[in-house]
Amino acid sequence: MTNRDAILHVRGESRYVDDRLTPEDTLFGAVVTSDVACGTIRSVDTSPAESREGVVCVLTAGDPPGENQIGNIIRDEPLFADSEVHYIGQPIALVVARDAATARSVARGVKVEIDPGTPLLDPREAHAQGSLIAPPRTFALGDIEAAWDRCKWIVEGRVESGGQEHVYLETQGTVAWPAEDGKVVVQSATQSPSVVQCIVARMLGMPMQRVEVDVLRLGGAFGGKEDQATAWAAMAALAAWKTGKAVKVVLRRREDMRSTGKRHPYSSDFRIGLGKDLDILAYDVTFYQNAGAAADLSTSILERTLFHATNSYNIPNVRATAVSCRTNLPPNTAFRGFGAPQAMFVMECAVRKAAAAAGAEAEWVQRKNLLSVGDEFPYGMRCSSPNARRSWEMLEDQPETAVMREAVSVFNAEHALRKKGLAFMPVCFGVSFTTTFLNQAGALVHVYSDGSVGVSTAAVEMGQGVNTKIRQAAARTFSIGLDRVRVETTNTARVANTSPTAASSAADLNGNATRLACEAILQRLVRSAADLLGSEAPDDISLLDETVQASGQATDLKWEALVQHTYRNRISLSAQAHYATPRIHFDKAVEKGEPFSYHVAGTAVTEVTLDCLRGTYEVDAVRVVHDLGRSINPMIDLGQMEGGLVQGIGWVTLEELLYDDEGRLLTDSMSTYKIPDMNFAPGEIQAEFIQDAQYEGGAFGSKAIGEPPFMYGIGTFFALVEAMRAFRPDLPDQHILPLTPERVLMELVADLSS
Ligand code: LUZ
Ligand code: MOS
C-alpha cells in the first residue's frame, strides 16, 4: 500500500494554488507590510501607487464591506492594520495589479508613516507588564504542597525552547473569483476551509452560503495553514469582490517567513521531587508562551501544553500553569505537536535533572515512572493503554539496543575527541481536538452508474496521504478496487462545517464518516442484490472483491451490474454521513474530563556522534517502538513517522530563529534558516509498530500518526547532551533548545581557559 498521490508528486503533476489554470485576465495582489514591530500609523499614502501603470486598486483597512477582522477564536487580528501595527510583516495594504511583478514593485514603494514604539519581544516581560492573550490556566492533581515534604530529592530549573518555521514547500496562497449573484469562490491553501469561508463571509458582510471555499491539495502545512491561510484568502476574496476579476495572492518565501507566525517559543520553570524509591512524587511547572501579536490558536495550543505537561509519566501530585503572553512577533500558531513538544521537553529536562541529583541513571528514573493502565492524568482522564511501558520494554529488549549501548561505551573509551551519546525518549500523545466540538466530520459519497465512486470529505490532503486512506476506507467498505475510488476536492458547498485538518485526527474522523456513508449505500446495494437474486434474506448477501456473495458463495453478480440494476430501479446511489467522536468531554471550569478518544504511546532511542573540537554532530540512528493500532496504510504511517521524527530533530538541533532588538526576523530565508536535509537525517531510522489492538475512535481500528513521532526527535537533544558529558563530565545543565553546533561548541569550551 503506497500513497497514491506520490505518483503525481514525483512527476510534478500535483496542482498547487499557483499551478491552477486561471482566466487570462487574472489579477495579482502584493502585500504592503509593516517595517516596524510596534507603532501608531500616521498615514498610508496609496494614491501614487494607484496611478501607476498596471495597478487596478490598492486596498486598505477601510475597504472590507463587513468586518476588517480575521480573528477566529478571539477577534483581535485586523485583516489590514488600521491605527496601529503590532509586528514586522503585518499587512497594511494590498496592491492589486495586472501582473505579479508590477504588484510587487509598486507594493515596495507604498509610503507608510508610523510613529514607532518600543517592541515587547520576551514573554516573561510581557507577563510582567500584564500583556496577556487570556487569563492563565492551571491543571492540578493531588496535593503538591504536601508532597514536597515526602520528597528526598527536589530540583528546579529553567527551560527555553525556540520557535520553528514551518517551511511548507508551497508558500501561502489563494486564488479567488466572483461568481454569479454575489457569490465568491475561493481556492485557498488552507487546512481549515470552513474557517476561511466563515471569515471571508464576515469580512464581506455576506452569509456563508455565498462563499465557496475549495481546496485541492496543499504542498505541506504542518499546522502553518490551520489558521494562517485565512489572511491571504480574505485579501484575494476582497480584491475579487472589488474588481470583479479573479485575483491571486501568493507569497514569496521571504514574505512568508517574515509575515507568518511559527511554533511558539516557550520559557518555563519547573520544580520536581523524587521519593526515596525514585518515584516522581511532585511536579510543578509554569509555561510562558510567546504568542506574538494576536491570539490565533495560542489559547488552544496552550491548553495542549497543559494536557501533555507530564508526558508519559505517572505523577500523583502536579501543578501545571500556563500563560499566553502577547508580544510584538508575528502571531505564533499551530505546528505539528501543537504545544505538546514544548511541554515534553520541559518534562524531560526535569526528569533528567532529578535523576542526576539522586545519582541515578536517567533511564532508570524514566522507566520507573512510566504510565500504567489506570493511572490518572492531571486532567482527570485515566490511562487506558499499556503501551507507554510496553513500548519501552519492547525497545529495551531488542538485541540492537544492547549492541548500541555497547558500541557507545566502546567508542567513548577509544576516542578522546569524538564522543557518542544515547538517550531514550518516551512519548504519550492524546488524540482528539482538545476543543471538543471540532471532533466531527462529514462525507458525501456518490456511486456513479458505471460503478466508479467519488468521495468528498472535510479532510484536506497536504502530503500526509489522507486521500489515499479515504480511498481505502471506501474501497474496503464496498470491497472494490482502489482505482474505482476518487477523492474529490475539499469543498464547503459539498461538505459543510469542516473542522480543520489537524490534531492528527483527519483520517480518524473523515475515514469514519466515509465508512458510514459507504455503509448506507452498501445496505441499499445488498437489498437490491437480494431482489435481483430472488433471495428473501438480505442478511445472507455480501460483497467480496467486487462480487456479490450469497450465503458465503460467490454468485455471477458483479459490482458494475449490481450498481446498474440499483440505478435503474431508481434507488439512490449517494449518501451523506456525519461522524462525531463518541464519549469525549471536558469541563474547563474544573479543568477535568475525558478530552481524548485515546492516547498513542511509544518510545525512541537515539544515538549520536559528536565532534568535540568542532561542535558538529551526526545522528547515527533512531529506533522507535510506536503504537499504531491496526494501520490502514503502514507505508504512509512509516513516512509520517520518518518525516515527523526528522522535523522534531530539526527543532531541537539546527533550526534557529533569530530576531534583532527591533523584532526583525534575521533568519528569513533558506540560506540563514537551516532545516534538516537528507544528509542530516539519521543514518538509520528503524520503526517497530505495535499493531495488535483495536480502537473505536480511529478508522478501522487504526490510530493517529501525524503528530506523535515529532516528539521522538526531542531524544536527539538529550543524546547530544550525553555525548557532551562524555567529553566534559562537569558540563552544566543543558535546558535550551535548539542545541545548534555553535551552541555545542561554546558550551564545550566555556571556562576552559580558567
Ligand atoms: N488544532 C486544534 C490542533 O484546533 N486543536 C487541537 O487540539 C489540535 N491539536 C493538535 C494539532 N492541531
Ligand atoms: Mo495541526 S499542528 O494543524 O495538527
Side-chain angles (χ1 to χ4, degrees):
M1 216 29 98
T2 56
N3 178 353
R4 289 300 182 100
D5 287 1
I7 296 159
L8 300 176
H9 297 329
V10 297
R11 287 181 178 159
E13 290 172 2
S14 316
R15 299 246 175 141
Y16 304 97
V17 164
D18 209 18
D19 307 320
R20 305 287 157 70
L21 295 177
T22 53
E24 190 101 353
D25 60 350
T26 299
L27 304 175
F28 192 92
V31 190
V32 178
T33 62
S34 175
D35 203 34
V36 299
C38 141
T40 310
I41 298 180
R42 206 148 14 101
S43 68
V44 184
D45 188 3
T46 58
S47 44
E50 270 166 322
S51 61
R52 292 275 296 275
E53 173 78 26
V55 173
V56 178
C57 61
V58 181
L59 304 175
T60 59
D63 285 298
E67 292 178 45
N68 176 45
Q69 177 57 241
I70 59 167
N72 183 33
I73 297 175
I74 298 174
R75 294 193 186 191
D76 67 347
E77 192 176 358
L79 174 60
F80 295 116
D82 37 31
S83 53
E84 295 172 340
V85 290
H86 298 289
Y87 63 94
I88 292 176
Q90 182 175 357
I92 296 173
L94 185 77
V95 174
V96 184
R98 296 201 202 293
D99 62 90
T102 305
R104 288 201 169 105
S105 95
V106 173
R108 274 194 296 275
V110 172
K111 278 258 174 309
V112 182
E113 286 185 305
I114 299 173
D115 292 331
T118 309
L120 194 49
L121 304 174
D122 179 74
R124 289 183 191 253
E125 215 176 296
H127 176 249
Q129 296 187 17
S131 175
L132 305 183
I133 299 283
R137 286 174 67 182
T138 299
F139 283 17
L141 179 68
D143 183 347
I144 186 117
E145 296 308 338
W148 298 119
D149 286 343
R150 284 180 283 124
C151 295
K152 182 153 183 222
W153 296 278
I154 297 174
V155 296
E156 300 179 338
R158 178 166 169 164
V159 179
E160 309 286 340
S161 60
Q164 187 175 27
E165 161 62 43
H166 300 84
V167 202
Y168 24 65
L169 284 178
E170 180 195 27
T171 55
Q172 303 276 356
T174 295
V175 191
W177 60 87
E180 194 185 69
D181 196 20
K183 184 171 174 172
V184 178
V185 180
V186 182
Q187 286 202 338
S188 164
T190 177
Q191 293 172 247
S192 312
S194 291
V195 171
V196 168
Q197 180 193 24
C198 173
I199 285 173
V200 167
R202 220 164 64 193
M203 185 272 303
L204 291 177
M206 52 171 66
M208 284 170 74
Q209 35 95 319
R210 293 226 307 233
V211 180
E212 177 181 331
V213 178
D214 187 73
V215 183
L216 172 51
R217 65 170 69 255
L218 316 186
F222 312 114
K225 296 166 183 172
E226 183 174 341
D227 214 55
Q228 303 227 331
T230 309
W232 330 105
M235 287 178 205
L238 176 63
W241 180 85
K242 277 258 174 191
T243 62
K245 296 266 170 61
V247 179
K248 183 189 275 189
V249 175
V250 173
L251 299 190
R252 287 191 161 159
R253 179 66 63 188
R254 180 165 283 164
E255 291 177 303
D256 190 307
M257 290 180 81
R258 279 186 187 163
S259 287
T260 64
K262 314 190 184 308
R263 182 185 298 286
H264 294 75
Y266 275 52
S267 182
S268 311
D269 297 314
F270 70 81
R271 188 164 193 239
I272 186 170
L274 298 182
K276 61 179 184 352
D277 299 327
L278 299 177
D279 293 327
I280 306 173
L281 293 183
Y283 182 53
D284 193 356
V285 60
T286 305
F287 303 101
Y288 298 91
Q289 178 198 55
N290 190 335
D296 193 274
L297 289 157
S298 295
T299 49
S300 297
I301 292 159
L302 193 80
E303 184 173 74
R304 194 173 272 281
T305 299
L306 290 171
F307 282 116
H308 294 88
T310 53
N311 190 15
S312 296
Y313 303 110
N314 174 42
I315 309 179
N317 302 286
V318 178
R319 181 169 57 207
T321 299
V323 49
S324 183
C325 309
R326 196 184 290 273
T327 62
N328 293 109
L329 295 181
N332 285 318
T333 193
F335 195 141
R336 209 172 195 168
F338 206 74
Q342 292 93 327
M344 293 183 190
F345 179 60
V346 179
M347 183 76 246
E348 286 306 310
C349 287
V351 169
R352 283 158 188 280
K353 187 163 183 176
E361 292 281 335
E363 277 161 43
W364 215 87
V365 179
Q366 287 174 298
R367 181 181 170 141
K368 178 113 210 303
N369 290 283
L370 289 171
L371 286 161
S372 304
V373 173
D375 290 343
E376 188 177 353
F377 289 100
Y379 46 93
M381 190 167 170
R382 293 205 176 259
C383 176
S384 63
S385 159
N387 289 327
R389 233 158 229 296
R390 203 166 141 219
S391 62
W392 185 293
E393 285 160 10
M394 284 170 69
L395 187 61
E396 202 154 66
D397 287 347
Q398 287 176 0
E400 295 96 321
T401 302
V403 173
M404 232 181 187
R405 281 207 175 104
E406 178 65 15
V408 169
S409 75
V410 168
F411 185 94
N412 287 351
E414 287 176 351
H415 294 79
L417 299 177
R418 294 203 312 145
K419 296 291 179 186
K420 280 186 187 288
L422 183 143
F424 274 65
M425 178 70 204
V427 171
C428 179
F429 191 82
V431 176
S432 287
F433 288 91
T434 60
T435 304
T436 302
F437 82 84
L438 291 175
N439 294 288
Q440 55 177 317
L444 176 64
V445 175
H446 299 310
V447 177
Y448 294 98
S449 59
D450 67 352
S452 65
V453 177
V455 183
S456 297
T457 72
V460 169
E461 173 61 46
M462 46 182 138
Q464 86 281 41
V466 72
N467 279 5
T468 297
K469 288 185 176 176
I470 286 169
R471 281 172 80 172
Q472 289 180 260
R476 195 191 280 203
T477 308
F478 288 132
S479 196
I480 59 176
L482 200 64
D483 290 330
R484 287 206 191 264
V485 184
R486 181 181 177 82
V487 176
E488 300 295 345
T489 62
T490 315
N491 184 297
T492 56
R494 262 179 274 117
V495 177
N497 309 322
T498 60
S499 289
T501 291
S504 306
S505 300
D508 283 9
L509 297 172
N510 295 280
N512 270 314
T514 301
R515 175 180 57 78
L516 291 172
C518 293
E519 281 172 357
I521 298 171
L522 185 63
Q523 271 188 16
R524 295 176 218 145
L525 287 169
V526 162
R527 257 183 268 120
S528 167
D531 168 59
L532 193 64
L533 296 171
S535 158
E536 294 291 312
D539 285 356
D540 232 28
I541 305 285
S542 59
L543 265 143
L544 183 66
D545 295 336
E546 307 205 343
T547 305
V548 174
Q549 314 278 311
S551 312
Q553 296 293 313
T555 67
D556 291 338
L557 184 57
K558 298 284 186 194
W559 169 258
E560 281 179 28
L562 173 61
V563 166
Q564 261 296 321
H565 174 78
T566 308
Y567 168 61
R568 283 169 182 271
N569 278 295
R570 300 187 297 168
I571 293 165
S572 167
L573 288 168
S574 298
Q576 188 275 343
H578 177 259
Y579 178 79
T581 308
R583 215 182 52 235
I584 49 173
H585 61 93
F586 192 71
D587 182 355
K588 279 194 190 181
V590 291
E591 306 285 26
K592 300 282 178 190
E594 196 170 340
F596 299 120
S597 181
Y598 56 84
H599 289 84
V600 287
T603 306
V605 61
T606 305
E607 182 199 307
V608 300
T609 306
L610 177 64
D611 180 328
C612 305
L613 283 186
R614 294 180 181 82
T616 54
Y617 46 75
E618 282 166 32
V619 185
D620 305 319
V622 180
R623 298 192 2 265
V624 177
V625 175
H626 181 80
D627 171 16
L628 274 187
R630 297 204 313 200
S631 177
I632 305 179
N633 191 318
M635 196 68 129
I636 285 178
D637 290 350
L638 181 62
Q640 287 290 299
M641 166 70 67
E642 293 177 346
L645 170 68
V646 173
Q647 204 165 33
I649 294 174
W651 176 55
V652 303
T653 58
L654 303 182
E655 297 187 43
E656 186 170 37
L657 291 163
L658 296 172
Y659 298 86
D660 68 12
D661 293 343
E662 258 76 67
R664 181 171 289 100
L665 180 63
L666 301 173
T667 49
D668 63 357
S669 71
M670 299 317 296
S671 60
T672 49
Y673 186 77
K674 182 76 184 118
I675 59 170
D677 58 14
M678 278 306 283
N679 294 317
F680 184 75
E684 185 194 346
I685 299 175
Q686 211 189 84
E688 179 179 348
F689 293 126
I690 304 176
Q691 280 219 49
D692 55 358
Q694 185 116 17
Y695 299 92
E696 275 172 43
F700 301 93
S702 68
K703 278 188 154 189
I705 184 67
E707 295 173 286
F710 182 94
M711 286 151 281
Y712 294 133
I714 297 170
T716 296
F717 180 96
F718 295 103
L720 283 169
V721 173
E722 290 303 314
M724 290 163 78
R725 282 247 156 79
F727 183 71
R728 267 197 86 167
D730 65 332
L731 189 84
D733 291 325
Q734 298 297 314
H735 290 166
I736 304 176
L737 72 74
L739 192 49
T740 58
E742 290 90 334
R743 180 178 290 281
V744 169
L745 187 63
M746 297 314 283
E747 293 289 331
L748 288 179
V749 301
D751 306 323
L752 269 194
S753 53
S754 61

